[in-house]
Amino acid sequence: MRLVLVLVMALAWACSGGGPAQDAGAGEVTEVAGGDTRDWVTPGPDWQRRTVFYQVWVRSFQDSNGDGIGDLPGLISRLDYLEALGIGALWLSPIHPTPYADSGYDVADYRAVNPDYGTLEDFQRLVEEAHARGIRVFADLVMNHTSDQHAWFQESRSSKDNPRADWYLWADQPNLPCTPGLQFGDSAWKWDEGRGQYYFHQFYEGQPDLNYRNPEVAAAMLDVARFWLGKGVDGFRVDAIYTLFEDLPGTPEDQFICGHHPLTHAYLKTLRQVLEEYPQRASLAEVWGPTGTTAAYFGDGQDEFHLALSMDQELAIQGALMLDAPSLLAPKLTDTLGRLPEGTQYATFLSSHDWPRVMHQTGNDPARARLAAVLLLTLPGTPIVYYGDEVGATNTTAQVVDKRDGSRAPMPWTAAPDLGFTTGTPWLAPAPGNETACVAAQDQDPDSLLALYRRLIALRNRLDFLGSAPIRVLRPATSTDKLLLFVREAQGRTLLVALSFAKQALPLTLDLSALVSVAATLELTSEAEVPALTPQNAAAYQVTLGPHGYAVWSL
Ligand code: NOJ
């Protein structure tokens, strides 16, 4: 019956001259609304709430042609590894032509692939091959700004009366009191000789902000989204959406708003409508701000983003790991989740291309890195594993663009000096430690960090309520501030997680009688031995967790 429906719809789309639904890129219909023809890791609607994402810094993942730069054919050659890891979706760093002033977040052409990374055909093959393995693909959509090399900006800067004169934010005086974030410079205004005016940039000066009050700009970016959806991408991580609108010069001073402008939400709703034109697409917001502010980008739960990166929670995780202080994280967990519209959730992560690697955060402590992995994959939200964290890669001290390059080093595949990443010279000097922190060294070792990640991701895929189910932090009758104990519960299924943030062994006596009515199944532990947890001993359950040890049971 489903096959008939697929064929009928495919025929209807073909006859209609093609709408968004004939978007399989290579001309093949891969999905229909309400149905799912592939063997996805996480099938069905709302898949983004049940899947594990993996973030790939394309330039650093796998080089295929010896130029020292990771590329799409290289990434394709590693899809079997990613399939074995168990992830259900990839998020790729920007893949477009770029002068690389902000590591690719300065896009010079939205509809092309950076020749360093390959071709549009390579991209389509990547999508097809990932899909064939049940893995979905997210692209990074950089909406707020372009590169100053983009044709739109070149035209806009050429005169005050060209057709794109108003596509960017130009002023005679640098009079909008916004300042760029951290590493992006002192002033948000740059003088342009050609135009004889200043242009506004929230980020590096090579990244002029687009003027979203101009309907042509707003429409052009939606067309960019359609272009990639038409190539089969399953959604977008949308860059810096809190900066899309600013108040223009001339607005009364008390109206100056540099970020989180109310107009942004109306525009983001139009982006959501574009996504809704295609079946089972999703979106992930990159938004910086306190939890309450971030939550606004879910709209009513149906009309803005599906997911949003939780910066607050990441900071709390980092703090807890660095200071061995779970009390920094525990209140944040329940606080964060209480505020979300039904059907939405945060994306949880430990590190990224903007943050130091987990290993770096934990002072190169393997036990803490393992604890962090368990935390990431048992917390609520959609987990994002940052490439290389699964083998304990650490930061490099090398830098090409800025200090964030620390976490963007080539993927350590092997213990060789070239890391199995390239036959040439890597574009960025590798991080140390790949003799042991590499895939080859850990692949067959059941005690390795990589094996732990595989087990955790498998657990996550099996217990697919873990993304959306609430969290309940338990306050056990035991006198330690080093234990984080929580349960995740949904539809009669429960996961119980005990994490020690102590540097020494932590003996515990826990009253779990309210939870345990049948013998618990031990899913994972760092310990050689953990006593069975049964209704008989649950009222005064005794267990000792080693330094930064953990135990996870299902009930
Ligand atoms: C957020 C990206 O994650 C970051 O790397 C980039 O510098 C800014 N947005 C500007 O695009």
Side-chain angles (χ1 to χ4, degrees):
M1 178 62 195
R2 196 169 79 172
L3 183 64
V4 174
L5 186 67
V6 172
L7 290 173
V8 169
M9 294 184 79
L11 199 63
W13 291 328
C15 295
S16 71
Q22 58 143 340
D23 62 342
E28 173 201 2
V29 175
T30 57
E31 302 170 30
V32 291
D36 216 2
T37 60
R38 288 188 191 268
D39 192 13
W40 298 108
V41 172
T42 39
D46 272 353
W47 62 270
Q48 76 282 350
R49 305 191 75 191
R50 291 177 283 107
T51 209
V52 177
F53 273 79
Y54 186 88
Q55 184 190 351
V56 174
W57 193 250
V58 175
R59 200 172 189 83
S60 290
F61 200 58
Q62 179 66 59
D63 176 21
S64 72
N65 59 3
D67 66 358
I69 297 176
D71 49 41
L72 297 177
L75 171 51
I76 293 168
S77 74
R78 294 296 186 180
L79 285 173
D80 289 343
Y81 165 80
L82 295 172
E83 185 181 14
L85 189 57
I87 54 109
L90 292 174
W91 150 27
L92 309 182
S93 55
I95 54 161
H96 310 293
T98 171
Y100 214 69
D102 187 15
S103 307
Y105 284 93
D106 46 327
V107 176
D109 182 352
Y110 286 97
R111 290 169 192 250
V113 170
N114 185 337
D116 284 343
Y117 303 157
T119 62
L120 207 48
E121 288 69 38
D122 292 329
F123 181 78
Q124 294 221 209
R125 195 159 61 84
L126 169 69
V127 172
E128 283 162 24
E129 297 242 0
H131 283 182
R133 289 166 178 78
I135 298 172
R136 310 190 198 235
V137 180
F138 260 37
D140 211 313
L141 184 61
V142 186
M143 302 189 96
N144 175 66
H145 44 265
T146 67
S147 160
D148 61 0
Q149 302 305 307
H150 196 289
W152 296 343
F153 186 72
Q154 292 301 323
E155 196 173 333
S156 188
R157 83 181 345 165
S158 66
S159 68
K160 288 182 184 156
D161 54 8
N162 70 78
R164 292 209 165 89
D166 194 26
W167 277 44
Y168 294 82
L169 301 166
W170 294 100
D172 294 331
Q173 294 298 324
N175 54 0
L176 182 66
C178 304
T179 45
L182 288 176
Q183 65 270 22
F184 297 106
D186 301 329
S187 166
W189 291 94
K190 165 96 171 134
W191 175 255
D192 187 77
E193 208 52 60
R195 168 101 172 202
Q197 277 187 308
Y198 292 88
Y199 67 84
F200 179 72
H201 59 95
Q202 291 258 17
F203 297 95
Y204 281 125
E205 58 183 40
Q207 296 169 288
D209 271 45
L210 284 160
N211 174 16
Y212 275 89
R213 283 186 169 79
N214 181 332
E216 287 174 13
V217 170
M221 200 50 85
L222 297 182
D223 278 347
V224 168
R226 283 194 187 92
F227 177 83
W228 291 101
L229 290 164
K231 301 278 173 242
V233 303
D234 299 283
F236 302 105
R237 177 266 192 190
V238 189
D239 189 64
I241 40 105
Y242 55 101
T243 58
L244 286 192
F245 285 83
E246 301 79 16
D247 277 342
L248 296 167
T251 327
E253 205 163 55
D254 60 358
Q255 293 296 304
F256 282 147
I257 305 175
C258 303
H260 305 295
H261 197 289
L263 286 176
T264 302
H265 293 284
Y267 181 65
L268 291 174
K269 288 178 174 44
T270 65
L271 176 64
R272 176 63 178 255
Q273 284 158 14
V274 169
L275 283 161
E276 297 290 338
E277 293 168 12
Y278 301 77
Q280 290 195 26
R281 299 312 204 265
S283 54
L284 165 64
E286 191 228 8
V287 47
W288 291 73
T291 304
T293 317
T294 309
Y297 292 87
F298 293 117
D300 68 6
Q302 300 289 322
D303 62 355
E304 290 192 34
F305 282 92
H306 298 80
L307 302 168
L309 292 168
S310 171
M311 304 298 177
D312 256 13
Q313 195 167 270
E314 205 285 342
L315 278 171
I317 294 174
Q318 251 191 59
L321 283 173
M322 288 196 301
L323 302 172
D324 285 335
S327 60
L328 296 177
L329 176 60
K332 189 57 71 188
L333 297 173
T334 32
D335 175 50
T336 308
L337 293 163
R339 303 173 189 225
L340 301 188
E342 181 64 31
T344 63
Q345 64 194 34
Y346 282 109
T348 311
F349 62 102
L350 299 170
S351 51
S352 78
H353 65 292
D354 286 333
W355 299 76
R357 282 193 172 276
V358 187
M359 259 309 185
H360 188 81
Q361 293 170 35
T362 59
N364 282 317
D365 177 345
R368 280 208 188 93
R370 295 175 80 90
L371 186 75
V374 179
L375 194 56
L376 173 69
L377 288 146
T378 54
L379 284 181
T382 298
I384 304 177
V385 177
Y386 186 51
Y387 83 99
D389 276 0
E390 75 274 23
V391 292
T394 193
N395 272 34
T396 177
T397 49
Q399 180 174 316
V400 169
V401 172
D402 59 42
K403 63 181 187 320
R404 292 174 296 169
D405 282 338
S407 62
R408 300 168 181 175
M411 175 76 179
W413 295 104
T414 72
D418 65 13
L419 311 116
F421 162 72
T422 182
T423 53
T425 307
W427 73 277
L428 183 69
N434 72 302
E435 301 76 23
T436 50
C438 72
V439 174
Q442 299 185 20
D443 197 28
Q444 301 300 321
D445 175 0
D447 297 325
S448 65
L449 182 61
L450 178 58
L452 176 63
Y453 265 93
R454 284 183 183 143
R455 281 202 295 280
L456 282 163
I457 295 171
L459 177 78
R460 188 89 191 187
N461 289 340
R462 177 159 56 85
L463 305 181
D464 68 354
F465 64 96
L466 290 177
S468 54
I471 185 168
R472 191 153 56 91
V473 178
L474 305 180
R475 313 221 178 280
T478 183
S479 58
T480 175
D481 60 355
K482 296 295 180 196
L483 178 69
L484 182 61
L485 184 69
F486 59 85
V487 286
R488 309 290 318 287
E489 296 158 304
Q491 297 145 11
R493 297 180 296 176
T494 302
L495 195 76
L496 169 66
V497 182
L499 306 171
S500 167
F501 287 72
K503 288 191 188 71
Q504 300 82 20
L506 186 66
L508 298 165
T509 302
L510 305 171
D511 178 0
L512 301 170
S513 53
L515 285 175
V516 181
S517 55
V518 292
T521 304
L522 182 65
E523 298 280 3
L524 296 159
T525 184
S526 50
E527 308 311 314
E529 257 186 79
V530 167
L533 171 57
T534 66
Q536 288 70 38
N537 66 5
Y541 178 67
Q542 296 198 322
V543 62
T544 297
L545 295 179
H548 297 105
Y550 53 84
V552 177
W553 299 265
S554 52
L555 302 169

